[in-house]
Amino acid sequence: KPAIAGGSPVRPTLLPYGRQMVDEADIAAVVEVLRSDWLTTGPKVDEFESALAQVAGTKYAVAVSSGTAALHAVMDALDVGTGDEIIVPTMTFAATANCAVYQGAIPIFADVDSKSLLMDVASVESKISPRTKAIVAVDYAGHPCDYDQLHALCQRHGLSLVADACHAIGGSYQDAPVGSLADLSTFSFHPVKHVTSGEGGAVSTNDFELAQRMREFRNHGITTDQRQRADNGEFYYEMTHLGYNYRMSDIQCGLGQSQLLKLTEFVARRQQIAARYDKAFALLTSVEPLVTAPDRQNAYHLYIIKLDLAALTTDRSGIYRALKAENIGINVHYLPVHLHPFYQERFKTGLGMCPVAENAYDRILSLPIFPAMTDADTDNVIEAVLKVVEYYRG
Ligand SMILES: *Cc1c(COP(=O)(O)O)cnc(C)c1O
């Protein structure tokens, strides 16, 4: 009997949907920075950027204060301004679209593919106009997009290709690492993401000019930082364009660098958990996991299931509440961005604009997945899903 109907829950304490994994080596790395001369704009920033560029397979990585700041820096680097249009998938975190709005540009929402919930390339193409400047692809849930198709499309129309890879660090597409798949790729180091620095973000690119511009952008648009001036023995600096304080501190970079050493292990564990879920749900008709293309490594920031509502006597909220009662910390990613009140009011978006994403939204749930989860935790989730789905079987 499910907990919501008076039975006992599958576990006594709540299993979160995601959480960080910080060990003694991470703590020691932060303490080391605290004892050093530089708490910000110091050498840890360079070290972290080098380590990240290695993981991303690019020449440059620019560390910034968040994944959102990374997206904003990208928009600035591409000279996105008033009236420009940026095509983004609607199934994403709001920040993917907000970064265009920061620059006075207009986000245009593309629909998604029903099997993967990745941006649908045909929908993107149908939304290209003379004002389109860039496409921001999102590797939703950790599954890299089809970058061959996206590159071909961008080339045909003379557009920049950006990857919002905040879900997908450690993944790959046709053996090329996430981070190297677009002109610019963004990462987040928020605690629910694969590696954390508390707060933090970065952009990877092979373009020296763009990297340089983003280094200035994160420091008010000033051409040198404090350490460069200390090294040169100079006081003079100038601001050449408008930037922000989007710096990532050495404390954060120290933690990020230590965490990055465990990325391969973290992703492998996420893939193991996903495989256990896949196997358990393969025979369930009312639960449909998303499909990963065979030429890609999914980094599994999220594990998403779609419910077959026709086979159930309740809706997504009913299943959500029943799983919560079992102490399974589930979540929903995401309300399609074009349905947020801000976008409906400011940009006159609304229901009907992206029917596939709208339909998926009513049926999706994100199950817990994070490296510190044990097999027993994973089995609790599986047991709870089977129990709840059986109870509500139509
Ligand atoms: C987390 C996330 C961001 C923003 O990252 P922050 O570091 O929280 O600012 C942007 N896009 C996507 C897809 C994300 O998941």
Side-chain angles (χ1 to χ4, degrees):
K1 205 164 149 195
I4 200 162
S8 50
V10 297
R11 51 181 290 134
T13 55
L14 184 75
L15 179 71
Y17 92 92
R19 68 162 281 146
Q20 72 276 11
M21 190 169 175
V22 171
D23 64 13
E24 289 304 318
D26 296 327
I27 293 167
V30 171
V31 170
E32 186 195 316
V33 177
L34 289 173
R35 294 189 201 283
S36 78
D37 288 340
W38 294 94
L39 299 189
T40 192
T41 71
K44 273 291 159 198
V45 180
D46 300 348
E47 284 175 36
F48 178 61
E49 287 181 341
S50 301
L52 190 63
Q54 189 107 28
V55 166
T58 53
K59 286 191 197 147
Y60 313 103
V62 179
V64 291
S65 53
S66 68
T68 304
L71 287 160
H72 191 185
V74 161
M75 291 294 118
D76 177 77
L78 294 176
D79 260 323
V80 171
T82 308
D84 288 335
E85 293 180 355
I86 306 297
I87 301 177
V88 304
T90 192
M91 188 55 84
T92 185
F93 183 55
T96 314
N98 294 350
C99 66
V101 183
Y102 296 156
Q103 296 291 102
I106 304 159
I108 302 290
F109 297 99
D111 208 347
V112 295
D113 168 73
S114 66
K115 291 259 179 259
S116 63
L117 303 187
L118 292 176
M119 189 161 76
D120 177 57
V121 179
S123 173
V124 174
E125 183 150 31
S126 75
K127 307 219 166 173
I128 292 174
S129 87
R131 299 202 288 182
T132 309
K133 191 128 188 188
I135 293 171
V136 183
V138 175
D139 300 329
Y140 177 74
H143 183 198
C145 295
D146 188 335
Y147 283 96
D148 277 355
Q149 271 193 28
L150 289 170
H151 272 296
L153 184 67
C154 286
Q155 233 143 45
R156 276 204 303 284
H157 296 272
L159 306 174
S160 298
L161 181 58
V162 177
D164 178 344
C166 289
H167 291 184
I169 188 171
S172 66
Y173 172 79
Q174 295 176 2
D175 295 328
V178 163
S180 68
L181 303 171
D183 301 324
L184 299 133
S185 303
T186 63
F187 300 106
S188 164
F189 309 115
H190 181 277
V192 297
K193 304 289 165 67
H194 297 69
V195 296
T196 189
S197 60
E199 294 276 4
V203 185
S204 60
T205 183
N206 282 317
D207 188 311
F208 175 79
E209 308 271 313
L210 294 180
Q212 196 51 36
R213 167 122 177 179
M214 292 186 290
R215 284 184 214 285
E216 293 174 15
F217 183 73
R218 73 173 171 196
N219 190 37
H220 312 278
I222 291 171
T223 51
T224 56
D225 71 22
Q226 202 187 341
R227 184 162 51 111
Q228 288 166 328
R229 291 194 294 278
D231 288 349
N232 300 338
E234 278 169 14
F235 67 87
Y236 183 78
Y237 65 81
E238 52 192 18
M239 184 192 134
T240 50
H241 67 287
L242 185 64
Y244 293 77
N245 179 352
Y246 279 164
R247 294 186 302 262
M248 189 170 166
S249 73
D250 283 55
I251 305 169
Q252 293 168 319
C253 287
L255 178 54
Q257 187 188 19
S258 178
Q259 285 263 303
L260 211 48
L261 297 174
K262 289 165 283 215
L263 174 64
T264 308
E265 193 186 307
F266 285 171
V267 170
R269 182 62 193 147
R270 285 174 180 273
Q271 290 177 335
Q272 277 171 3
I273 295 165
R276 206 173 177 95
Y277 283 152
D278 280 345
K279 196 165 155 231
F281 302 140
L283 297 174
L284 271 188
T285 49
S286 48
V287 166
E288 191 191 333
L290 298 185
V291 178
T292 301
D295 60 347
R296 294 164 227 189
Q297 284 291 320
N298 190 329
Y300 284 108
H301 165 55
L302 303 171
Y303 187 92
I304 310 274
I305 55 170
K306 285 193 295 176
L307 301 169
D308 179 2
L309 295 177
L312 297 166
T313 58
T314 187
D315 59 6
R316 190 263 312 278
S317 293
I319 301 288
Y320 175 91
R321 279 195 302 272
L323 286 171
K324 266 278 160 73
E326 300 294 339
N327 276 326
I328 303 302
I330 51 173
N331 218 320
V332 175
H333 298 93
Y334 297 93
L335 172 66
V337 182
H338 74 282
L339 297 182
H340 282 293
F342 170 79
Y343 283 100
Q344 299 214 38
E345 283 158 29
R346 171 93 69 101
F347 295 98
K348 307 288 168 244
T349 59
L351 268 180
M353 280 181 63
C354 296
V356 180
E358 290 163 15
N359 177 282
Y361 171 65
D362 292 334
R363 306 195 288 133
I364 49 176
L365 281 175
S366 307
L367 302 185
I369 189 164
F370 55 95
M373 248 175 95
T374 63
D375 285 348
D377 292 331
T378 313
D379 290 343
N380 285 161
V381 178
I382 292 167
E383 188 192 334
V385 169
L386 298 181
K387 185 168 142 185
V388 163
V389 154
E390 172 63 28
Y391 181 74
Y392 287 110
R393 201 162 53 151

